[in-house]
Amino acid sequence: MKIWVPADAAAKACGADAVAAMIAHQAAQQGREVQIIRNGTRGMIWLEPLVEIEMDGVRMGFGPMVPGDVPGLFASPESHPKAVGPVEEIPFFARQTRLSFARCGRIDPLSLEDYAEAEGWQGLTRALELGPQAAIETVTTSGLRGRGGAGFPTGIKWKTVADAEASQKYIVCNADEGDSGSFADRMLMEGDPYCLIEGMAIAGLCVGATKGFVYIRSEYPDAIRVMEAAIARARSASYIGPALMGQGPAFDLEVRVGAGAYICGEETSLLNSLEGKRGMVRAKPPLPALEGAFGLPTVVNNVLSLGAVPWILTHGGAAYAEFGLGRSRGTIPLQIAGNVAHGGLFETGFGLSLGALINDIAGGTASGRPFKAVQVGGPLGAYHGEDDFDLDICYEAFAERGGLVGHAGFVVHDESADMMALARYAMEFCAIESCGKCTPCRIGAVRGIETLDRIARGEADAIEILQDLCEVMEKGSLCAMGGFTPYPVRSAMRLFPEEFTQLREAAE
Amino acid sequence: MTHDDRLSTILATHSGRPGALLPILHDVQAAYGYVPEDCYQPIADALRLGRAEVAGVVSFYHDFRAAPAGRHVIKICRAEACQSMGGAAMMAGLEHALGMKIGQTQNGITLEAVYCLGLCACAPAAQVNGQLVGRATAEQLEALVTEVSA
């Protein structure tokens, strides 16, 4: 009997280890032969821990499980109170277009056999056949743009590095996923680490880099452990190392662990951190593509950008570009978080409307109270209200409406949300996490907190000062930290002006 | 006192590694529970850096401690997704139960803020002695508090 119990950090945080232990215990007591596989998560986090049992070749789900639910699993699985039916037929799952996350939750994350059986290494094999130039063209054709938030075309970045002359080049994977509401990088690293390894190997082959770094934030101990184990196994099986797939050029990988600095998700700050320095943002130019890690040409890509690459090489750039909307091609793993009934990861082509995501997919709020606002794209993203439910999820539409898709995290708040407190938090977070290099961010964030406190005390003239401060931060900051912190602040004021003025009236 | 064999071993392990300072500091903290100030100079010497450069890196990153943490470390996520699910009230409840404020170390317990554990779809989230807790409730955390205090 095969039983899957996710070892994803979210599943573990909801008690998956205790459930797995109970399954092993019960099976031993009853003398049943059970194979427990610790898979990644399917991304339906509200069902975690989601246990799966193979019955007549179909994987049936049970969740959210607690250890007390385990005995019933063996007795009469069909009538188990936590039975959710065939996992892949759950509407949340069935409605997705899973390309990058096709394997996540299905396979044993560290099994090289499972990976190879599920299209693993086919993208790298194809890239080796095509050669660097044609492989880069495939990525360019796919229309893939940087999934970390900036949306820069991946193929163009790779070509810039490929064309640079240097004795050593690097691939750096940005796995410093610090945005609240985002967990797709973590999910992929924990659930399908070889996918990221393959994507990085393809990037290395394409640009002529023989060394890669995965920079993972220290808040992700499970992802660090899984990636390190996967790299070691891929190396011993000769998929990476002195010769890619045993025949290509050299490419090896190393995990580097961050140290709790949000700013290191910014690529130049990440590079400084990688070099052992303070995570201070660098002015651009020079572009990291030309002078990146240790001053050498470097591809810096997000986990999700690199994770999309194996599929693209396997199925072709045109096949990937068939999904999407406008200039946002392919699929995007939407991360539904916060106060939602159905939180989790939903991979789909660009173009789903914000309203459909929140009402249909996420099933409204978890509290059952009316929806108030959703923050899209992390702590630097804007708040959107119901008026924006017509927005199609793609880079251009959100930019036009004064927001951003960013890393595609959606944090939903119900009517109890205190927008003044959230705006203040945005400034506070910027003050805590600013690298301190540029004045608008370093000083502006502190002044922002003070000015919001003045507004809260009923000082009417402070609203104009805050608007002015936001403009200075947006236009004058060196990077997105100070530059986008005004997004949540101004959008909160625009959407709910009464919350920033009624306090004044109350004070009077 | 701290410039002992453990530090020499750590420095030897990372000898010649490019950008070794963060990995060294992580190892030092794992060995000593914090980054003792008298490690700065030996680390600086090994990497051919100035002492100030090492001090600057240690102080830049939130992870590196200047003093040992309590025997038990409780991290509470303060980020938006956790706020949307009552994280602030949960934190206040825990502060009350422990009789201490976030950022303090008391009676062998360190209570500190963290900005996202990637558990945003099962918020609010916390981490107690490395163990992640999703859908954390006041009751559950109170139970953990009793457990760690015992």
Side-chain angles (χ1 to χ4, degrees), chain A residues 327-339:
Chain A
R327 288 176 51 233
S328 302
R329 307 313 311 172
T331 62
I332 176 102
L334 307 172
Q335 298 131 81
I336 311 164
N339 199 326

Side-chain angles (χ1 to χ4, degrees), chain A residues 45 218 254 256 258 260 277-278, chain B residues 17-19 26 56 61-63:
Chain A
I45 306 298
S218 62
E254 185 183 331
R256 286 291 175 102
K277 301 172 185 156
R278 291 160 68 90
Chain B
R17 187 180 186 186
H26 276 302
Y61 295 95
H62 301 307
D63 278 5

